[in-house]
Amino acid sequence: MKDQPPTTQPSTAQPSTSETIETEEPVPTDPTYVRYHPDIEQLDPKEEELIDRIVTTLKSNNERAYRTYQHGLRDAHAKGHGILEGSITVYPDLQPELAQGMFAQPGKYPVIARLSSTSGAIRHDRLRGVRGLGIKVLGVEGERAMVDDEATTQDFILVTHREFLFADVREYATRGMVVAWLLARVPDLLLGAGSELAATVDRLLVRFGRPLPPTLQVFIRPNTHILGDTFFSSAPFRWGDYVAKFLIAPLSDNVRALENVPLGQNPSENANREMIAEFFANNGADYELRVQLCTDLDTMPIENATLPWSEEASPHIPVAKIHFPKQDPASPTRRAFGDDVLSFNSWRGLEAHRPLGSINRMKLRVYEASSDFRHEKNGIERMEPADISDLPD
Ligand code: HEM
């Protein structure tokens, strides 16, 4: 588990702008990219049964949260920190293996983004942990990954940890459910004390070359400025004729300056929201979407989301720039729209960007169940924006 990607600078493999960018990593001269074929996924015969169990348990977490807040929340990433309007520009002259799906042609689309923290409870921002980024691209035409999906949105869903914590549905059904259960129930004070203690233990263990396991590392990750974070797909996706993971990293100097900037000793309860609102009151920012193509199914597996894909074998290459202009990302109407009306789901998108692997297959049912639950409880209709004017100011 690494907090930062090896490539936080734009890679030279595919210059993202007209500027000359210095070489950071050797790029393989002639990598053989793995071609997508349905057989690269291998279903566990017990998968559906395990997913049934997970959906049922998560629903009980959801019901519990509803009793506490008297409001239907997301079963994960319940606390939104900001809803941003922006645009994504696909770079021209991408190499053919990257010019796939919605990136096949250069172009510009509107986007809506939601920044969040991973818990299914609304927690104090002093707590460390995983942060999330949902990006919804509007007006993307093409064959859909989900049957009966008539939307024209393309969702990309990312978190601040590079590899996922659990390999597959089997592991999630045991260890993952324990984490989900704890995150739904343990009070802030205890969770905060637990992660401070774990961070101290980790510092001691590191001296003996035995840091805490990745499952615990995410809870001791230093609490830094969310706008300086890099977000990862964590699990693999179809990339048209190929297979990939991707990340979104700060690009403009003003957000790169926020990388690894600590939140300070005593952040306020909604520090993330306040920092995001304060930043975008006076600034715009650019981020970059970078794609890592799979070159070897043995060392870059589809069904085990915990194994790192080597940057040396296949570096992340820039494919698009995401721009967020100056705005108010935390107005009451925006927040209500982002938290209660919108749903982000990596299955909502093109077949050419179909989520792959066990963790992603599980998400197909889990996300729909969570979204249905909260919309029904709150008496609010789900909607997929067709136009950026659907997003209130
Ligand atoms: C590759 C792994 C994963 C990533 C990158 C990821 C990321 C995210 C993000 C960023 C959100 C918030 C989206 C929003 O703002 O609406 C979210 C929501 C959610 N996640 Fe995940 N997640 C992953 C795996 C999982 C797994 C394994 C589960 C459970 C089995 C899960 C359950 C949920 C649920 C229930 C929601 C809320 C859905 C809704 O009500 O709309 N996620 N996830």
mmCIF file with all atom_site columns, all heavy atoms in Angstrom, residues 74-77 114 133 157-159 164 172 233-234 344 362-363 367 370-371 374, ligand 1:
data_model
loop_
_atom_site.group_PDB
_atom_site.id
_atom_site.type_symbol
_atom_site.label_atom_id
_atom_site.label_alt_id
_atom_site.label_comp_id
_atom_site.label_asym_id
_atom_site.label_entity_id
_atom_site.label_seq_id
_atom_site.pdbx_PDB_ins_code
_atom_site.Cartn_x
_atom_site.Cartn_y
_atom_site.Cartn_z
_atom_site.occupancy
_atom_site.B_iso_or_equiv
_atom_site.pdbx_formal_charge
_atom_site.auth_seq_id
_atom_site.auth_comp_id
_atom_site.auth_asym_id
_atom_site.auth_atom_id
_atom_site.pdbx_PDB_model_num
ATOM   1   N  N   . ARG A 1 74  ? -25.750 7.338   1.799   1.00 0.00 ? 74  ARG A N   1
ATOM   2   C  CA  . ARG A 1 74  ? -24.977 6.314   1.097   1.00 0.00 ? 74  ARG A CA  1
ATOM   3   C  C   . ARG A 1 74  ? -24.424 5.343   2.136   1.00 0.00 ? 74  ARG A C   1
ATOM   4   O  O   . ARG A 1 74  ? -24.011 5.777   3.221   1.00 0.00 ? 74  ARG A O   1
ATOM   5   C  CB  . ARG A 1 74  ? -23.791 6.945   0.348   1.00 0.00 ? 74  ARG A CB  1
ATOM   6   C  CG  . ARG A 1 74  ? -24.161 7.636   -0.936  1.00 0.00 ? 74  ARG A CG  1
ATOM   7   C  CD  . ARG A 1 74  ? -23.004 8.493   -1.391  1.00 0.00 ? 74  ARG A CD  1
ATOM   8   N  NE  . ARG A 1 74  ? -23.219 9.089   -2.695  1.00 0.00 ? 74  ARG A NE  1
ATOM   9   C  CZ  . ARG A 1 74  ? -23.987 10.134  -2.949  1.00 0.00 ? 74  ARG A CZ  1
ATOM   10  N  NH1 . ARG A 1 74  ? -24.647 10.719  -1.965  1.00 0.00 ? 74  ARG A NH1 1
ATOM   11  N  NH2 . ARG A 1 74  ? -24.106 10.599  -4.182  1.00 0.00 ? 74  ARG A NH2 1
ATOM   12  N  N   . ASP A 1 75  ? -24.362 4.065   1.767   1.00 0.00 ? 75  ASP A N   1
ATOM   13  C  CA  . ASP A 1 75  ? -23.841 3.071   2.697   1.00 0.00 ? 75  ASP A CA  1
ATOM   14  C  C   . ASP A 1 75  ? -22.321 3.170   2.826   1.00 0.00 ? 75  ASP A C   1
ATOM   15  O  O   . ASP A 1 75  ? -21.705 2.571   3.713   1.00 0.00 ? 75  ASP A O   1
ATOM   16  C  CB  . ASP A 1 75  ? -24.245 1.675   2.192   1.00 0.00 ? 75  ASP A CB  1
ATOM   17  C  CG  . ASP A 1 75  ? -24.144 0.655   3.284   1.00 0.00 ? 75  ASP A CG  1
ATOM   18  O  OD1 . ASP A 1 75  ? -24.206 1.054   4.456   1.00 0.00 ? 75  ASP A OD1 1
ATOM   19  O  OD2 . ASP A 1 75  ? -23.982 -0.524  2.961   1.00 0.00 ? 75  ASP A OD2 1
ATOM   20  N  N   . ALA A 1 76  ? -21.704 3.894   1.935   1.00 0.00 ? 76  ALA A N   1
ATOM   21  C  CA  . ALA A 1 76  ? -20.271 4.224   2.021   1.00 0.00 ? 76  ALA A CA  1
ATOM   22  C  C   . ALA A 1 76  ? -20.129 5.604   1.391   1.00 0.00 ? 76  ALA A C   1
ATOM   23  O  O   . ALA A 1 76  ? -20.968 5.999   0.592   1.00 0.00 ? 76  ALA A O   1
ATOM   24  C  CB  . ALA A 1 76  ? -19.439 3.217   1.238   1.00 0.00 ? 76  ALA A CB  1
ATOM   25  N  N   . HIS A 1 77  ? -19.103 6.322   1.772   1.00 0.00 ? 77  HIS A N   1
ATOM   26  C  CA  . HIS A 1 77  ? -18.883 7.680   1.252   1.00 0.00 ? 77  HIS A CA  1
ATOM   27  C  C   . HIS A 1 77  ? -20.113 8.560   1.491   1.00 0.00 ? 77  HIS A C   1
ATOM   28  O  O   . HIS A 1 77  ? -20.543 9.304   0.616   1.00 0.00 ? 77  HIS A O   1
ATOM   29  C  CB  . HIS A 1 77  ? -18.521 7.645   -0.230  1.00 0.00 ? 77  HIS A CB  1
ATOM   30  C  CG  . HIS A 1 77  ? -17.228 6.936   -0.487  1.00 0.00 ? 77  HIS A CG  1
ATOM   31  N  ND1 . HIS A 1 77  ? -16.024 7.585   -0.564  1.00 0.00 ? 77  HIS A ND1 1
ATOM   32  C  CD2 . HIS A 1 77  ? -16.947 5.611   -0.640  1.00 0.00 ? 77  HIS A CD2 1
ATOM   33  C  CE1 . HIS A 1 77  ? -15.054 6.706   -0.758  1.00 0.00 ? 77  HIS A CE1 1
ATOM   34  N  NE2 . HIS A 1 77  ? -15.581 5.497   -0.809  1.00 0.00 ? 77  HIS A NE2 1
ATOM   35  N  N   . ARG A 1 114 ? -17.928 14.650  -7.149  1.00 0.00 ? 114 ARG A N   1
ATOM   36  C  CA  . ARG A 1 114 ? -18.273 14.670  -5.713  1.00 0.00 ? 114 ARG A CA  1
ATOM   37  C  C   . ARG A 1 114 ? -17.094 14.124  -4.915  1.00 0.00 ? 114 ARG A C   1
ATOM   38  O  O   . ARG A 1 114 ? -16.635 13.018  -5.176  1.00 0.00 ? 114 ARG A O   1
ATOM   39  C  CB  . ARG A 1 114 ? -19.525 13.828  -5.446  1.00 0.00 ? 114 ARG A CB  1
ATOM   40  C  CG  . ARG A 1 114 ? -19.925 13.768  -3.967  1.00 0.00 ? 114 ARG A CG  1
ATOM   41  C  CD  . ARG A 1 114 ? -21.253 13.035  -3.779  1.00 0.00 ? 114 ARG A CD  1
ATOM   42  N  NE  . ARG A 1 114 ? -21.650 12.982  -2.387  1.00 0.00 ? 114 ARG A NE  1
ATOM   43  C  CZ  . ARG A 1 114 ? -21.338 11.989  -1.548  1.00 0.00 ? 114 ARG A CZ  1
ATOM   44  N  NH1 . ARG A 1 114 ? -20.641 10.950  -1.962  1.00 0.00 ? 114 ARG A NH1 1
ATOM   45  N  NH2 . ARG A 1 114 ? -21.738 12.026  -0.291  1.00 0.00 ? 114 ARG A NH2 1
ATOM   46  N  N   . LEU A 1 133 ? -13.541 10.110  -4.756  1.00 0.00 ? 133 LEU A N   1
ATOM   47  C  CA  . LEU A 1 133 ? -13.843 11.074  -5.823  1.00 0.00 ? 133 LEU A CA  1
ATOM   48  C  C   . LEU A 1 133 ? -14.716 10.380  -6.856  1.00 0.00 ? 133 LEU A C   1
ATOM   49  O  O   . LEU A 1 133 ? -14.325 9.351   -7.419  1.00 0.00 ? 133 LEU A O   1
ATOM   50  C  CB  . LEU A 1 133 ? -12.536 11.550  -6.464  1.00 0.00 ? 133 LEU A CB  1
ATOM   51  C  CG  . LEU A 1 133 ? -12.661 12.368  -7.752  1.00 0.00 ? 133 LEU A CG  1
ATOM   52  C  CD1 . LEU A 1 133 ? -13.383 13.691  -7.501  1.00 0.00 ? 133 LEU A CD1 1
ATOM   53  C  CD2 . LEU A 1 133 ? -11.273 12.660  -8.330  1.00 0.00 ? 133 LEU A CD2 1
ATOM   54  N  N   . ILE A 1 157 ? -15.048 6.270   -10.634 1.00 0.00 ? 157 ILE A N   1
ATOM   55  C  CA  . ILE A 1 157 ? -15.112 6.299   -9.172  1.00 0.00 ? 157 ILE A CA  1
ATOM   56  C  C   . ILE A 1 157 ? -13.749 5.915   -8.614  1.00 0.00 ? 157 ILE A C   1
ATOM   57  O  O   . ILE A 1 157 ? -13.219 4.861   -8.943  1.00 0.00 ? 157 ILE A O   1
ATOM   58  C  CB  . ILE A 1 157 ? -16.186 5.296   -8.698  1.00 0.00 ? 157 ILE A CB  1
ATOM   59  C  CG1 . ILE A 1 157 ? -17.452 5.555   -9.471  1.00 0.00 ? 157 ILE A CG1 1
ATOM   60  C  CG2 . ILE A 1 157 ? -16.361 5.329   -7.201  1.00 0.00 ? 157 ILE A CG2 1
ATOM   61  C  CD1 . ILE A 1 157 ? -18.678 5.683   -8.724  1.00 0.00 ? 157 ILE A CD1 1
ATOM   62  N  N   . LEU A 1 158 ? -13.199 6.780   -7.779  1.00 0.00 ? 158 LEU A N   1
ATOM   63  C  CA  . LEU A 1 158 ? -11.810 6.575   -7.342  1.00 0.00 ? 158 LEU A CA  1
ATOM   64  C  C   . LEU A 1 158 ? -11.663 6.830   -5.840  1.00 0.00 ? 158 LEU A C   1
ATOM   65  O  O   . LEU A 1 158 ? -12.472 7.546   -5.240  1.00 0.00 ? 158 LEU A O   1
ATOM   66  C  CB  . LEU A 1 158 ? -10.877 7.533   -8.096  1.00 0.00 ? 158 LEU A CB  1
ATOM   67  C  CG  . LEU A 1 158 ? -10.972 7.539   -9.621  1.00 0.00 ? 158 LEU A CG  1
ATOM   68  C  CD1 . LEU A 1 158 ? -11.920 8.635   -10.104 1.00 0.00 ? 158 LEU A CD1 1
ATOM   69  C  CD2 . LEU A 1 158 ? -9.610  7.758   -10.248 1.00 0.00 ? 158 LEU A CD2 1
ATOM   70  N  N   . VAL A 1 159 ? -10.612 6.250   -5.276  1.00 0.00 ? 159 VAL A N   1
ATOM   71  C  CA  . VAL A 1 159 ? -10.306 6.458   -3.857  1.00 0.00 ? 159 VAL A CA  1
ATOM   72  C  C   . VAL A 1 159 ? -8.818  6.776   -3.675  1.00 0.00 ? 159 VAL A C   1
ATOM   73  O  O   . VAL A 1 159 ? -8.023  6.583   -4.594  1.00 0.00 ? 159 VAL A O   1
ATOM   74  C  CB  . VAL A 1 159 ? -10.652 5.219   -2.992  1.00 0.00 ? 159 VAL A CB  1
ATOM   75  C  CG1 . VAL A 1 159 ? -12.126 5.135   -2.688  1.00 0.00 ? 159 VAL A CG1 1
ATOM   76  C  CG2 . VAL A 1 159 ? -10.142 3.945   -3.620  1.00 0.00 ? 159 VAL A CG2 1
ATOM   77  N  N   . PHE A 1 164 ? -6.833  -1.929  -3.884  1.00 0.00 ? 164 PHE A N   1
ATOM   78  C  CA  . PHE A 1 164 ? -7.966  -2.130  -2.993  1.00 0.00 ? 164 PHE A CA  1
ATOM   79  C  C   . PHE A 1 164 ? -7.520  -3.026  -1.843  1.00 0.00 ? 164 PHE A C   1
ATOM   80  O  O   . PHE A 1 164 ? -6.565  -3.777  -1.944  1.00 0.00 ? 164 PHE A O   1
ATOM   81  C  CB  . PHE A 1 164 ? -9.152  -2.735  -3.759  1.00 0.00 ? 164 PHE A CB  1
ATOM   82  C  CG  . PHE A 1 164 ? -10.451 -2.553  -3.015  1.00 0.00 ? 164 PHE A CG  1
ATOM   83  C  CD1 . PHE A 1 164 ? -10.941 -1.286  -2.753  1.00 0.00 ? 164 PHE A CD1 1
ATOM   84  C  CD2 . PHE A 1 164 ? -11.171 -3.647  -2.564  1.00 0.00 ? 164 PHE A CD2 1
ATOM   85  C  CE1 . PHE A 1 164 ? -12.123 -1.102  -2.048  1.00 0.00 ? 164 PHE A CE1 1
ATOM   86  C  CE2 . PHE A 1 164 ? -12.360 -3.471  -1.866  1.00 0.00 ? 164 PHE A CE2 1
ATOM   87  C  CZ  . PHE A 1 164 ? -12.831 -2.208  -1.608  1.00 0.00 ? 164 PHE A CZ  1
ATOM   88  N  N   . TYR A 1 172 ? -13.812 -10.019 0.776   1.00 0.00 ? 172 TYR A N   1
ATOM   89  C  CA  . TYR A 1 172 ? -14.673 -8.928  1.258   1.00 0.00 ? 172 TYR A CA  1
ATOM   90  C  C   . TYR A 1 172 ? -15.767 -9.457  2.179   1.00 0.00 ? 172 TYR A C   1
ATOM   91  O  O   . TYR A 1 172 ? -16.130 -8.834  3.178   1.00 0.00 ? 172 TYR A O   1
ATOM   92  C  CB  . TYR A 1 172 ? -15.300 -8.157  0.087   1.00 0.00 ? 172 TYR A CB  1
ATOM   93  C  CG  . TYR A 1 172 ? -15.862 -6.841  0.553   1.00 0.00 ? 172 TYR A CG  1
ATOM   94  C  CD1 . TYR A 1 172 ? -15.053 -5.720  0.649   1.00 0.00 ? 172 TYR A CD1 1
ATOM   95  C  CD2 . TYR A 1 172 ? -17.179 -6.736  0.973   1.00 0.00 ? 172 TYR A CD2 1
ATOM   96  C  CE1 . TYR A 1 172 ? -15.537 -4.522  1.139   1.00 0.00 ? 172 TYR A CE1 1
ATOM   97  C  CE2 . TYR A 1 172 ? -17.683 -5.541  1.466   1.00 0.00 ? 172 TYR A CE2 1
ATOM   98  C  CZ  . TYR A 1 172 ? -16.862 -4.440  1.547   1.00 0.00 ? 172 TYR A CZ  1
ATOM   99  O  OH  . TYR A 1 172 ? -17.341 -3.261  2.052   1.00 0.00 ? 172 TYR A OH  1
ATOM   100 N  N   . SER A 1 233 ? -8.355  4.259   -9.359  1.00 0.00 ? 233 SER A N   1
ATOM   101 C  CA  . SER A 1 233 ? -9.504  3.375   -9.640  1.00 0.00 ? 233 SER A CA  1
ATOM   102 C  C   . SER A 1 233 ? -9.419  2.122   -8.774  1.00 0.00 ? 233 SER A C   1
ATOM   103 O  O   . SER A 1 233 ? -10.409 1.442   -8.566  1.00 0.00 ? 233 SER A O   1
ATOM   104 C  CB  . SER A 1 233 ? -9.548  2.982   -11.116 1.00 0.00 ? 233 SER A CB  1
ATOM   105 O  OG  . SER A 1 233 ? -8.473  2.120   -11.446 1.00 0.00 ? 233 SER A OG  1
ATOM   106 N  N   . SER A 1 234 ? -8.232  1.800   -8.288  1.00 0.00 ? 234 SER A N   1
ATOM   107 C  CA  . SER A 1 234 ? -7.990  0.637   -7.420  1.00 0.00 ? 234 SER A CA  1
ATOM   108 C  C   . SER A 1 234 ? -8.258  -0.710  -8.103  1.00 0.00 ? 234 SER A C   1
ATOM   109 O  O   . SER A 1 234 ? -7.530  -1.652  -7.904  1.00 0.00 ? 234 SER A O   1
ATOM   110 C  CB  . SER A 1 234 ? -8.836  0.691   -6.147  1.00 0.00 ? 234 SER A CB  1
ATOM   111 O  OG  . SER A 1 234 ? -8.163  1.356   -5.133  1.00 0.00 ? 234 SER A OG  1
ATOM   112 N  N   . PHE A 1 344 ? -23.323 7.927   -8.004  1.00 0.00 ? 344 PHE A N   1
ATOM   113 C  CA  . PHE A 1 344 ? -22.160 7.619   -8.858  1.00 0.00 ? 344 PHE A CA  1
ATOM   114 C  C   . PHE A 1 344 ? -21.964 6.112   -8.798  1.00 0.00 ? 344 PHE A C   1
ATOM   115 O  O   . PHE A 1 344 ? -22.033 5.521   -7.726  1.00 0.00 ? 344 PHE A O   1
ATOM   116 C  CB  . PHE A 1 344 ? -20.898 8.316   -8.346  1.00 0.00 ? 344 PHE A CB  1
ATOM   117 C  CG  . PHE A 1 344 ? -20.930 9.820   -8.473  1.00 0.00 ? 344 PHE A CG  1
ATOM   118 C  CD1 . PHE A 1 344 ? -21.658 10.591  -7.577  1.00 0.00 ? 344 PHE A CD1 1
ATOM   119 C  CD2 . PHE A 1 344 ? -20.234 10.447  -9.488  1.00 0.00 ? 344 PHE A CD2 1
ATOM   120 C  CE1 . PHE A 1 344 ? -21.684 11.974  -7.691  1.00 0.00 ? 344 PHE A CE1 1
ATOM   121 C  CE2 . PHE A 1 344 ? -20.247 11.836  -9.607  1.00 0.00 ? 344 PHE A CE2 1
ATOM   122 C  CZ  . PHE A 1 344 ? -20.975 12.599  -8.709  1.00 0.00 ? 344 PHE A CZ  1
ATOM   123 N  N   . MET A 1 362 ? -18.994 -7.240  -7.724  1.00 0.00 ? 362 MET A N   1
ATOM   124 C  CA  . MET A 1 362 ? -19.789 -7.102  -6.501  1.00 0.00 ? 362 MET A CA  1
ATOM   125 C  C   . MET A 1 362 ? -20.433 -5.715  -6.450  1.00 0.00 ? 362 MET A C   1
ATOM   126 O  O   . MET A 1 362 ? -21.573 -5.554  -6.028  1.00 0.00 ? 362 MET A O   1
ATOM   127 C  CB  . MET A 1 362 ? -18.865 -7.311  -5.304  1.00 0.00 ? 362 MET A CB  1
ATOM   128 C  CG  . MET A 1 362 ? -19.415 -6.814  -3.998  1.00 0.00 ? 362 MET A CG  1
ATOM   129 S  SD  . MET A 1 362 ? -18.425 -7.339  -2.607  1.00 0.00 ? 362 MET A SD  1
ATOM   130 C  CE  . MET A 1 362 ? -16.814 -6.732  -3.017  1.00 0.00 ? 362 MET A CE  1
ATOM   131 N  N   . LYS A 1 363 ? -19.695 -4.700  -6.914  1.00 0.00 ? 363 LYS A N   1
ATOM   132 C  CA  . LYS A 1 363 ? -20.192 -3.332  -6.820  1.00 0.00 ? 363 LYS A CA  1
ATOM   133 C  C   . LYS A 1 363 ? -21.457 -3.110  -7.651  1.00 0.00 ? 363 LYS A C   1
ATOM   134 O  O   . LYS A 1 363 ? -22.269 -2.267  -7.323  1.00 0.00 ? 363 LYS A O   1
ATOM   135 C  CB  . LYS A 1 363 ? -19.098 -2.358  -7.265  1.00 0.00 ? 363 LYS A CB  1
ATOM   136 C  CG  . LYS A 1 363 ? -17.981 -2.250  -6.235  1.00 0.00 ? 363 LYS A CG  1
ATOM   137 C  CD  . LYS A 1 363 ? -16.810 -1.425  -6.729  1.00 0.00 ? 363 LYS A CD  1
ATOM   138 C  CE  . LYS A 1 363 ? -17.176 0.018   -6.912  1.00 0.00 ? 363 LYS A CE  1
ATOM   139 N  NZ  . LYS A 1 363 ? -16.046 0.853   -7.368  1.00 0.00 ? 363 LYS A NZ  1
ATOM   140 N  N   . TYR A 1 367 ? -24.055 -1.062  -5.190  1.00 0.00 ? 367 TYR A N   1
ATOM   141 C  CA  . TYR A 1 367 ? -24.294 0.378   -5.397  1.00 0.00 ? 367 TYR A CA  1
ATOM   142 C  C   . TYR A 1 367 ? -25.764 0.645   -5.702  1.00 0.00 ? 367 TYR A C   1
ATOM   143 O  O   . TYR A 1 367 ? -26.343 1.605   -5.208  1.00 0.00 ? 367 TYR A O   1
ATOM   144 C  CB  . TYR A 1 367 ? -23.409 0.923   -6.536  1.00 0.00 ? 367 TYR A CB  1
ATOM   145 C  CG  . TYR A 1 367 ? -22.004 1.218   -6.087  1.00 0.00 ? 367 TYR A CG  1
ATOM   146 C  CD1 . TYR A 1 367 ? -21.278 0.281   -5.374  1.00 0.00 ? 367 TYR A CD1 1
ATOM   147 C  CD2 . TYR A 1 367 ? -21.392 2.427   -6.364  1.00 0.00 ? 367 TYR A CD2 1
ATOM   148 C  CE1 . TYR A 1 367 ? -19.980 0.537   -4.948  1.00 0.00 ? 367 TYR A CE1 1
ATOM   149 C  CE2 . TYR A 1 367 ? -20.096 2.701   -5.946  1.00 0.00 ? 367 TYR A CE2 1
ATOM   150 C  CZ  . TYR A 1 367 ? -19.392 1.747   -5.241  1.00 0.00 ? 367 TYR A CZ  1
ATOM   151 O  OH  . TYR A 1 367 ? -18.112 2.005   -4.822  1.00 0.00 ? 367 TYR A OH  1
ATOM   152 N  N   . SER A 1 370 ? -27.777 0.357   -2.441  1.00 0.00 ? 370 SER A N   1
ATOM   153 C  CA  . SER A 1 370 ? -27.590 1.490   -1.541  1.00 0.00 ? 370 SER A CA  1
ATOM   154 C  C   . SER A 1 370 ? -28.318 2.722   -2.078  1.00 0.00 ? 370 SER A C   1
ATOM   155 O  O   . SER A 1 370 ? -29.006 3.436   -1.344  1.00 0.00 ? 370 SER A O   1
ATOM   156 C  CB  . SER A 1 370 ? -26.093 1.777   -1.385  1.00 0.00 ? 370 SER A CB  1
ATOM   157 O  OG  . SER A 1 370 ? -25.885 3.048   -0.823  1.00 0.00 ? 370 SER A OG  1
ATOM   158 N  N   . SER A 1 371 ? -28.190 2.938   -3.377  1.00 0.00 ? 371 SER A N   1
ATOM   159 C  CA  . SER A 1 371 ? -28.810 4.120   -3.967  1.00 0.00 ? 371 SER A CA  1
ATOM   160 C  C   . SER A 1 371 ? -30.341 4.013   -3.909  1.00 0.00 ? 371 SER A C   1
ATOM   161 O  O   . SER A 1 371 ? -31.028 4.974   -3.552  1.00 0.00 ? 371 SER A O   1
ATOM   162 C  CB  . SER A 1 371 ? -28.314 4.272   -5.408  1.00 0.00 ? 371 SER A CB  1
ATOM   163 O  OG  . SER A 1 371 ? -28.910 5.383   -5.991  1.00 0.00 ? 371 SER A OG  1
ATOM   164 N  N   . ARG A 1 374 ? -31.614 4.728   -0.237  1.00 0.00 ? 374 ARG A N   1
ATOM   165 C  CA  . ARG A 1 374 ? -31.643 6.119   0.256   1.00 0.00 ? 374 ARG A CA  1
ATOM   166 C  C   . ARG A 1 374 ? -32.636 6.974   -0.524  1.00 0.00 ? 374 ARG A C   1
ATOM   167 O  O   . ARG A 1 374 ? -33.299 7.830   0.049   1.00 0.00 ? 374 ARG A O   1
ATOM   168 C  CB  . ARG A 1 374 ? -30.240 6.727   0.292   1.00 0.00 ? 374 ARG A CB  1
ATOM   169 C  CG  . ARG A 1 374 ? -29.551 6.859   -1.033  1.00 0.00 ? 374 ARG A CG  1
ATOM   170 C  CD  . ARG A 1 374 ? -28.081 7.237   -0.862  1.00 0.00 ? 374 ARG A CD  1
ATOM   171 N  NE  . ARG A 1 374 ? -27.333 7.115   -2.097  1.00 0.00 ? 374 ARG A NE  1
ATOM   172 C  CZ  . ARG A 1 374 ? -27.201 8.063   -2.993  1.00 0.00 ? 374 ARG A CZ  1
ATOM   173 N  NH1 . ARG A 1 374 ? -27.770 9.226   -2.813  1.00 0.00 ? 374 ARG A NH1 1
ATOM   174 N  NH2 . ARG A 1 374 ? -26.489 7.847   -4.090  1.00 0.00 ? 374 ARG A NH2 1
HETATM 175 C  C1  . HEM B 2 .   ? -12.350 -0.321  -6.424  1.00 0.00 ? 1   HEM B C1  1
HETATM 176 C  C2  . HEM B 2 .   ? -12.940 -0.240  -5.287  1.00 0.00 ? 1   HEM B C2  1
HETATM 177 C  C3  . HEM B 2 .   ? -13.832 0.897   -4.848  1.00 0.00 ? 1   HEM B C3  1
HETATM 178 C  C4  . HEM B 2 .   ? -13.760 2.230   -5.115  1.00 0.00 ? 1   HEM B C4  1
HETATM 179 C  C5  . HEM B 2 .   ? -12.719 2.963   -5.940  1.00 0.00 ? 1   HEM B C5  1
HETATM 180 C  C6  . HEM B 2 .   ? -14.898 2.852   -4.462  1.00 0.00 ? 1   HEM B C6  1
HETATM 181 C  C7  . HEM B 2 .   ? -15.179 4.203   -4.434  1.00 0.00 ? 1   HEM B C7  1
HETATM 182 C  C8  . HEM B 2 .   ? -16.368 4.770   -4.042  1.00 0.00 ? 1   HEM B C8  1
HETATM 183 C  C9  . HEM B 2 .   ? -16.696 6.172   -4.091  1.00 0.00 ? 1   HEM B C9  1
HETATM 184 C  C10 . HEM B 2 .   ? -15.756 7.293   -4.531  1.00 0.00 ? 1   HEM B C10 1
HETATM 185 C  C11 . HEM B 2 .   ? -17.981 6.316   -3.689  1.00 0.00 ? 1   HEM B C11 1
HETATM 186 C  C12 . HEM B 2 .   ? -18.772 7.623   -3.570  1.00 0.00 ? 1   HEM B C12 1
HETATM 187 C  C13 . HEM B 2 .   ? -19.450 7.931   -4.862  1.00 0.00 ? 1   HEM B C13 1
HETATM 188 C  C14 . HEM B 2 .   ? -20.389 9.119   -4.678  1.00 0.00 ? 1   HEM B C14 1
HETATM 189 O  O1  . HEM B 2 .   ? -19.874 10.219  -4.399  1.00 0.00 ? 1   HEM B O1  1
HETATM 190 O  O2  . HEM B 2 .   ? -21.606 8.929   -4.815  1.00 0.00 ? 1   HEM B O2  1
HETATM 191 C  C15 . HEM B 2 .   ? -18.474 5.010   -3.352  1.00 0.00 ? 1   HEM B C15 1
HETATM 192 C  C16 . HEM B 2 .   ? -19.740 4.757   -2.920  1.00 0.00 ? 1   HEM B C16 1
HETATM 193 C  C17 . HEM B 2 .   ? -20.133 3.544   -2.459  1.00 0.00 ? 1   HEM B C17 1
HETATM 194 N  N1  . HEM B 2 .   ? -19.345 2.417   -2.326  1.00 0.00 ? 1   HEM B N1  1
HETATM 195 FE FE1 . HEM B 2 .   ? -17.515 2.147   -3.093  1.00 0.00 ? 1   HEM B FE1 1
HETATM 196 N  N2  . HEM B 2 .   ? -15.630 1.890   -3.823  1.00 0.00 ? 1   HEM B N2  1
HETATM 197 C  C18 . HEM B 2 .   ? -15.006 0.686   -4.039  1.00 0.00 ? 1   HEM B C18 1
HETATM 198 C  C19 . HEM B 2 .   ? -15.401 -0.533  -3.566  1.00 0.00 ? 1   HEM B C19 1
HETATM 199 C  C20 . HEM B 2 .   ? -16.550 -0.742  -2.868  1.00 0.00 ? 1   HEM B C20 1
HETATM 200 C  C21 . HEM B 2 .   ? -16.934 -2.005  -2.293  1.00 0.00 ? 1   HEM B C21 1
HETATM 201 C  C22 . HEM B 2 .   ? -16.121 -3.283  -2.356  1.00 0.00 ? 1   HEM B C22 1
HETATM 202 C  C23 . HEM B 2 .   ? -18.143 -1.804  -1.690  1.00 0.00 ? 1   HEM B C23 1
HETATM 203 C  C24 . HEM B 2 .   ? -18.988 -2.771  -0.944  1.00 0.00 ? 1   HEM B C24 1
HETATM 204 C  C25 . HEM B 2 .   ? -19.089 -4.029  -1.175  1.00 0.00 ? 1   HEM B C25 1
HETATM 205 C  C26 . HEM B 2 .   ? -18.524 -0.425  -1.909  1.00 0.00 ? 1   HEM B C26 1
HETATM 206 C  C27 . HEM B 2 .   ? -19.694 0.154   -1.504  1.00 0.00 ? 1   HEM B C27 1
HETATM 207 C  C28 . HEM B 2 .   ? -20.104 1.427   -1.802  1.00 0.00 ? 1   HEM B C28 1
HETATM 208 C  C29 . HEM B 2 .   ? -21.459 1.922   -1.580  1.00 0.00 ? 1   HEM B C29 1
HETATM 209 C  C30 . HEM B 2 .   ? -22.611 1.155   -0.985  1.00 0.00 ? 1   HEM B C30 1
HETATM 210 C  C31 . HEM B 2 .   ? -21.485 3.259   -2.012  1.00 0.00 ? 1   HEM B C31 1
HETATM 211 C  C32 . HEM B 2 .   ? -22.664 4.231   -2.006  1.00 0.00 ? 1   HEM B C32 1
HETATM 212 C  C33 . HEM B 2 .   ? -23.529 4.025   -3.259  1.00 0.00 ? 1   HEM B C33 1
HETATM 213 C  C34 . HEM B 2 .   ? -24.713 4.977   -3.318  1.00 0.00 ? 1   HEM B C34 1
HETATM 214 O  O3  . HEM B 2 .   ? -25.535 4.973   -2.392  1.00 0.00 ? 1   HEM B O3  1
HETATM 215 O  O4  . HEM B 2 .   ? -24.829 5.718   -4.301  1.00 0.00 ? 1   HEM B O4  1
HETATM 216 N  N3  . HEM B 2 .   ? -17.526 0.192   -2.612  1.00 0.00 ? 1   HEM B N3  1
HETATM 217 N  N4  . HEM B 2 .   ? -17.466 4.099   -3.567  1.00 0.00 ? 1   HEM B N4  1
#
